[in-house]
Amino acid sequence: MLDIQNISKTFEKGTVNEHVAINNMSLKLEDGEFVTIVGSNGAGKSTLFNAICGSFMVDSGHILLDGKDITYDSEHSRAKVIGRVFQDPMKGTAPNMTIEENLALAYSRASKGSNPFARAITKKKVEFFRENLARYNMGIEDRMKTKIGLLSGGQRQVVTLLMCTLSIPKLLLLDEHTAALDPATAQKVMDITKTIVSENNITTMMITHNMKQSLTTGTRTIMLDSGEILLDLSGDERDNMTMEDMIKMYSMKKQKEFDNDRILLS
């Protein structure tokens, strides 16, 4: 369970460039919830993910994961229990290392009780990685010694997704992880994502600019604006919500037109 309690973050405080990125935000996710997050550019979506991952410390408030206060834990220690897939397919992997090396490194880092001096790559591990990759029909299970940097964007994202979930994380963060892919590949990666999340009951948050996708993926939809949660939709309200209804609700709350073309055209 993720429990965010009244967190705030202001960048360049006390200067002419002062920017309130997160404003007294609270949010609670139950185990296994899949929450999609939408909002205009600068709404605070990636900043929220960075706060959860420990890329910076929040100015105030607390972040609890599975009952443990991780507010002041290092980014490195949080990475053992939080998986994150970025928009850029090259992030989160070592491009000059092979598929099996990347997977072995991620698996050893996240596995409880793993011996850091044990041989990272074994026949048993490689076969385990191959079996998992083969399930998703991306044509990479027989390319285990290929460098990650030589794969297509979709193939890299699937490897990164597998790196984050071979050892089940307490929280999975998907930061527009299909946005840089062509539509067909993006749909395939999204289908694989849903399968992995569903089969392993992983508590998940996904940032997307596709409003239609935000209402049809997962169990709950949140809209951010100026570092605050403007809308929080679930259950029948979300099931019956259309993209047009969502835009109207935004306009009523903010008393202004929804002006983000990237979202409207997704």
Side-chain angles (χ1 to χ4, degrees):
M1 180 182 73
L2 176 68
D3 188 5
I4 296 172
Q5 303 174 351
N6 306 109
I7 62 169
S8 294
K9 180 65 182 181
T10 300
F11 293 105
E12 300 190 67
K13 191 177 291 186
T15 73
V16 294
N17 295 318
E18 180 173 306
H19 172 61
V20 179
I22 304 177
N23 186 16
N24 197 36
M25 184 186 297
S26 293
L27 175 65
K28 184 178 285 189
L29 271 67
E30 299 300 331
D31 289 339
E33 265 199 288
F34 189 158
V35 177
T36 56
I37 302 173
V38 293
S40 303
N41 292 330
K45 304 182 297 297
S46 290
T47 305
L48 173 61
F49 276 17
N50 288 335
I52 294 170
C53 287
S55 301
F56 54 76
M57 296 298 166
V58 294
D59 298 332
S60 59
H62 292 273
I63 302 171
L64 284 75
L65 185 59
D66 205 18
K68 180 181 183 293
D69 192 334
I70 62 170
T71 310
Y72 302 108
D73 286 2
S74 68
E75 186 172 14
H76 174 73
S77 66
R78 297 190 207 191
K80 294 178 181 178
V81 291
I82 299 174
R84 186 174 184 179
V85 185
F86 293 87
Q87 178 177 340
D88 183 352
M90 293 306 290
K91 277 192 175 182
T93 59
N96 290 318
M97 290 173 64
T98 65
I99 295 173
E100 64 181 26
E101 287 170 341
N102 272 273
L103 288 167
L105 188 63
Y107 188 62
S108 298
R109 181 182 62 193
S111 297
K112 290 182 180 179
S114 61
N115 181 355
F117 300 105
R119 187 179 173 203
I121 303 175
T122 63
K123 275 189 175 182
K124 186 176 180 180
K125 281 184 182 178
V126 171
E127 188 55 34
F128 173 60
F129 300 152
R130 286 187 76 258
E131 288 174 1
N132 277 274
L133 287 169
R135 294 184 60 202
Y136 305 117
N137 300 311
M138 294 295 288
I140 44 181
E141 64 273 11
D142 294 320
R143 300 177 62 189
M144 300 298 290
K145 296 191 181 298
T146 300
K147 291 182 178 181
I148 287 280
L150 298 178
L151 300 180
S152 68
Q155 290 173 329
R156 288 197 295 266
Q157 289 300 64
V158 170
V159 173
T160 306
L161 190 59
L162 204 56
M163 287 171 65
C164 292
T165 56
L166 277 173
S167 181
I168 307 303
K170 292 183 178 178
L171 179 68
L172 177 62
L173 303 179
L174 306 171
D175 196 346
E176 293 193 80
H177 71 306
T178 63
L181 308 176
D182 65 83
T185 305
Q187 185 58 55
K188 190 166 187 177
V189 172
M190 194 66 241
D191 290 341
I192 293 169
T193 301
K194 291 177 181 178
T195 298
I196 291 174
V197 168
S198 175
E199 288 182 352
N200 298 286
N201 196 39
I202 303 173
T203 306
T204 304
M205 301 174 74
M206 183 182 80
I207 295 172
T208 178
H209 269 91
N210 187 321
M211 290 186 71
K212 183 178 179 181
Q213 184 184 63
S214 77
L215 292 171
T216 57
T217 303
T219 57
R220 183 175 168 193
T221 300
I222 289 169
M223 178 179 278
L224 299 187
D225 185 82
S226 302
E228 299 177 353
I229 296 175
L230 193 65
L231 300 173
D232 189 345
L233 308 168
S234 59
D236 290 340
E237 182 183 28
R238 180 180 186 263
D239 292 341
N240 297 320
M241 183 73 60
T242 65
M243 199 167 67
E244 291 74 18
D245 292 336
M246 199 172 180
I247 294 170
K248 285 178 184 176
M249 286 183 72
Y250 171 88
S251 299
M252 287 173 62
K253 290 258 186 180
K254 295 297 292 184
Q255 296 185 334
K256 67 178 183 180
E257 290 296 317
F258 196 95
D259 57 3
N260 191 292
D261 289 343
R262 187 177 170 194
I263 290 183
L264 290 175
L265 296 175
S266 291

